[in-house]
Amino acid sequence: MNKTTKMIFISLIVAQALVLHVIEGMIPVPIGIPGAKLGLANIFTIISLYILGFKSTVVVVVMRVALATMFGGTLSSFLFSLSGGLLSLLSMTFIKNLLKDKVSIIGVSGAGAVSHNIGQLLVASYIVRNWTVMMYLPVLTFIGIGTGIFIGITANYIIGHMSKIKAVNKISRLKEEEIFIRKQ
């Protein structure tokens, strides 16, 4: 199993996340809360984190956000998505590694959803130069926990089935550094 195989796997994860992002954009949100979404594309962030590790998942998040912005976003949506996605990834990695025996993938996902909302609200507060935007956090936290649980259950189910695939196990064992370092 080589770097090329792992890069193809990353590309497939990004492509699937983009498809879910586009589909999610077509789903009307029944609650009247601006910015509230299910975050279906984050299923693949969690899958990548558990199968590929942190460094590869950073690539997945940045590529997904950049390509989603090209498909119909704006500079502000790029900033919101990137800040939320990276803060979410950092918190999920921290919780996954620090509390690995105490927190399941569902808990990691819930923490990631809440962190995603915090990241977006921090950017919003910076843009409007007013911290009162953070008063929106309790509502988004409540919604984020619910969607995070849903995303975590889904990712857990998918990872459980993917772990039965020999090629995925080989990709997972490929060291993080091998994909990012060129041989001299």
Side-chain angles (χ1 to χ4, degrees), residues 114-164:
V114 172
S115 299
H116 194 278
N117 292 334
I118 291 170
Q120 289 184 330
L121 288 176
L122 287 172
V123 169
S125 296
Y126 177 77
I127 289 173
V128 299
R129 306 257 192 250
N130 190 342
W131 290 101
T132 58
V133 173
M134 295 303 282
M135 292 177 68
Y136 195 37
L137 184 60
V139 174
L140 286 179
T141 299
F142 180 73
I143 294 168
I145 291 171
T147 59
I149 290 170
F150 170 74
I151 297 300
I153 290 169
T154 306
N156 191 33
Y157 180 77
I158 293 170
I159 290 171
H161 286 285
M162 288 179 76
S163 66
K164 298 173 187 173

